Amino acid sequence: MIGVDTNILVRYLTHPTNCFDLPISVIFSQVINIRNIFMLGLDRITFDPNIMGGQACIRGMRIPVSLVVNLVANSKPVEEILEEYPDLEPEDIRQSLLYAAWLTQERVYPFKTA
């Protein structure tokens, strides 16, 4: 599983007994993903189920990472993004791109054939 499903994490952290229907591998993968995000130094990427439905946002604001990445992908200059979103800082844009790159890492899992 790539990314962080905040619904699973909040469910597990607030009521662990409500997660008996989830495989431990699902819960464990979510914890590992959060650990990896912090190891990358992405301290400006936040997840809150009460903000933008739990999607990745910038510093707890209602500015999703996907918006920032989309603006950059469509050739919007950083200076214009910062003008249109005065709460953003250049480091927010940099970390948004790093987070997007991390999410899209290709992983190959070999399967053993019988």
Side-chain angles (χ1 to χ4, degrees):
M1 185 177 289
I2 298 175
V4 176
D5 186 334
T6 53
N7 293 328
I8 290 174
L9 282 173
V10 168
R11 187 172 145 198
Y12 177 71
L13 294 173
T14 56
H15 303 289
T17 55
N18 288 347
C19 292
F20 288 142
D21 61 317
L22 296 174
I24 191 67
S25 60
V26 170
I27 296 167
F28 183 71
S29 69
Q30 296 302 303
V31 172
I32 292 297
N33 286 335
I34 286 182
R35 179 190 64 100
N36 289 341
I37 290 169
F38 287 112
M39 285 180 67
L40 290 172
L42 302 179
D43 58 334
R44 293 170 178 246
I45 308 301
T46 58
F47 305 88
D48 184 336
N50 297 316
I51 299 173
M52 302 300 289
Q55 64 181 301
C57 289
I58 307 295
R59 293 183 284 126
M61 298 183 287
R62 294 187 178 279
I63 302 175
V65 169
S66 60
L67 170 70
V68 174
V69 172
N70 189 23
L71 292 171
V72 173
N74 285 292
S75 303
K76 187 93 158 174
V78 171
E79 295 77 22
E80 285 184 32
I81 296 172
L82 296 173
E83 284 177 22
E84 290 181 20
Y85 297 90
D87 291 331
L88 286 180
E89 300 172 1
E91 182 63 13
D92 298 326
I93 296 171
R94 188 184 79 78
Q95 287 195 21
S96 293
L97 295 174
L98 284 172
Y99 178 68
W102 176 76
L103 282 179
T104 59
Q105 286 179 352
E106 183 176 348
R107 292 183 176 97
V108 177
Y109 299 100
F111 291 97
K112 293 182 181 181
T113 57

